[in-house]
Amino acid sequence: SRRLTLAAAQLGPIQKAEGRDVVVGRMVRLMETAHKRGAEVVVFPELALTTFFPRWYEEDINNADHWYEQSLPSNETAPLFEAARKFNIGFHLGYAEIAHEADETGEVRKRHFNTAVYVHPNGEVVLKYRKVHLPGHREFDPKRKVQHLEKRYFEVGNLGFPVVRAPIGQAGPVNIGMLICNDRRWPEAWRELGLQQVELVMLGYNTPSINQDAKGFEAHHLRVEHSHLSIRAGCYQNACFAAGVAKAGVEDGCELFGHSIIVNPQGEIVAQATSWDDELIVADCNLDQCVLGRTTIFNFAAHRRPEAYGRITGQ
Ligand code: CDT
């Protein structure tokens, strides 16, 4: 059987004033723990290197460059790459990316994305994804106690939903794909990965415990429930594993709900974080479990009916 020892490395809060060196030190310790527990891959959250900065308004986005990575690795992120090599462990990292590249008009300019990469133990970036579903708003909203300015700080991802076959540990080549935070709530995003036979979805998130738009229509306890529901359904309906990994705890007075999970292709939670701090959860994943769904009820070639889905495909 194809077995993969998968670790999800939840991060506790990162305060606005905290430097990347402190965070990277915490992450390296989690990688060491992951290695000791036999993990072959470790998944870190969305925007793992800093506080969840889209809660802070900056009038001129050019003054916000310090939140982004200009290159990977950099001096500050190099210890992650060194740890990967030392512990022979692949890692998934969510970060804010500045890229100098052409836009749809062909003009080369500075662009900002909410990005994730999977890095092989040898330091090679094997897969990159840029977040497609950006929640929140673009302008300062005086009605909100806490801003959620992802639409200000990021462009919509332009890489689609790639899946690559990457060598991971003893399992050999594994079909890996990524989603970032809000993407997990969109079945279309999961299906894009499922149609490429994804076996492992790496997914980081930063989700506030309080939904400021709820106005009494979403009970507080449903915040975590909706996150888990989305990930479990995505795994079941696309016959894959996922590591859903949170940034957790109170960042500068704003609470993020944690509850990181690893889910199997039956939609079962096989590991769950219990703290709101740095915490490693590990699961032994038998990738052969992806075969049942893929060859029976979710055999897309046999049973899917795209001709009836015109509204979704825009045809
Ligand atoms: N980071 C992220 O995408 N968070 C969203 C919360 C948005 S609230 C405006 C999420 O879907 O979890």
Side-chain angles (χ1 to χ4, degrees):
S1 65
R2 296 170 61 225
R3 298 197 100 90
L4 177 72
T5 309
L6 171 63
Q10 177 172 286
L11 287 176
I14 302 169
Q15 307 309 329
K16 193 180 182 196
E18 239 166 311
R20 281 181 186 58
D21 52 335
V22 179
V23 183
V24 167
R26 285 162 54 183
M27 294 168 81
V28 168
R29 281 194 288 283
L30 285 161
M31 289 172 87
E32 186 172 7
T33 308
H35 170 68
K36 284 186 184 145
R37 293 176 62 183
E40 297 159 310
V41 53
V42 58
V43 180
F44 289 111
E46 173 192 35
L47 302 176
L49 298 168
T50 65
T51 197
F52 187 71
F53 68 86
R55 72 169 71 90
W56 301 106
Y57 178 73
E58 180 64 63
E59 193 171 331
D60 180 355
I61 185 179
N62 288 306
N63 293 335
D65 281 1
H66 59 100
W67 294 122
Y68 298 78
E69 307 308 306
Q70 303 265 0
S71 63
L72 207 68
S74 58
N75 286 344
E76 284 158 316
T77 51
L80 299 173
F81 288 71
E82 285 156 22
R85 195 182 300 271
K86 180 171 165 196
F87 300 128
N88 192 28
I89 194 165
F91 70 96
H92 162 284
L93 174 71
Y95 65 103
E97 178 191 16
I98 284 182
H100 296 272
E101 63 176 47
D103 62 18
E104 31 314 307
T105 70
E107 184 200 346
V108 175
R109 58 182 176 81
K110 186 164 80 176
R111 306 184 66 178
H112 303 78
F113 297 102
N114 187 338
T115 298
V117 287
Y118 173 70
V119 181
H120 187 273
N122 68 10
E124 185 194 342
V125 173
V126 176
L127 177 62
K128 179 188 273 196
Y129 168 67
R130 290 169 172 164
K131 185 175 183 177
V132 167
H133 298 97
L134 298 173
H137 45 107
R138 189 166 286 110
E139 302 304 331
F140 184 83
D141 181 353
K143 291 195 291 298
R144 298 177 76 95
K145 282 208 188 87
V146 184
Q147 305 296 303
H148 196 109
L149 291 155
E150 285 197 60
K151 287 195 196 296
R152 183 176 197 82
Y153 287 119
F154 305 115
E155 292 184 52
V156 172
N158 59 353
L159 303 176
F161 293 96
V163 170
V164 295
R165 208 159 160 69
I168 302 187
Q170 295 181 1
V174 180
N175 294 345
I176 59 168
M178 294 165 178
L179 298 173
I180 302 181
C181 196
N182 189 263
D183 288 327
R184 72 194 185 288
R185 306 184 194 273
W186 298 89
E188 297 89 344
W190 286 95
R191 186 48 50 90
E192 279 283 325
L193 299 177
L195 285 168
Q196 300 171 81
Q197 315 289 306
V198 74
E199 294 173 301
L200 171 60
V201 175
M202 305 181 190
L203 188 176
Y205 63 91
N206 283 261
T207 303
S209 298
I210 292 172
N211 177 359
Q212 293 178 73
D213 300 317
K215 299 186 175 53
F217 290 105
E218 183 190 51
H220 190 242
H221 70 278
L222 292 177
R223 296 290 286 161
V224 172
E225 181 73 14
H226 289 157
S227 176
H228 286 184
L229 185 64
S230 302
I231 299 171
R232 295 179 60 196
C235 286
Y236 169 62
Q237 293 171 346
N238 296 282
C240 60
F241 286 87
V245 190
K247 184 111 74 57
V250 183
E251 290 190 342
D252 296 300
C254 305
E255 191 179 279
L256 302 167
F257 66 50
H259 286 80
S260 303
I261 48 174
I262 297 175
V263 176
N264 73 13
Q266 294 296 327
E268 293 172 292
I269 295 174
V270 294
Q272 179 169 324
T274 53
S275 76
W276 282 14
D277 214 331
D278 293 1
E279 180 177 346
L280 196 85
I281 57 172
V282 180
D284 173 24
C285 301
N286 181 352
L287 297 171
D288 288 343
Q289 282 183 18
C290 301
V291 175
L292 176 66
R294 191 159 294 157
T295 53
T296 58
I297 197 160
F298 297 118
N299 177 341
F300 296 147
H303 309 304
R304 226 174 126 257
R305 290 285 163 236
E307 70 275 14
Y309 310 151
R311 281 185 201 84
I312 293 171
T313 57
Q315 285 149 11

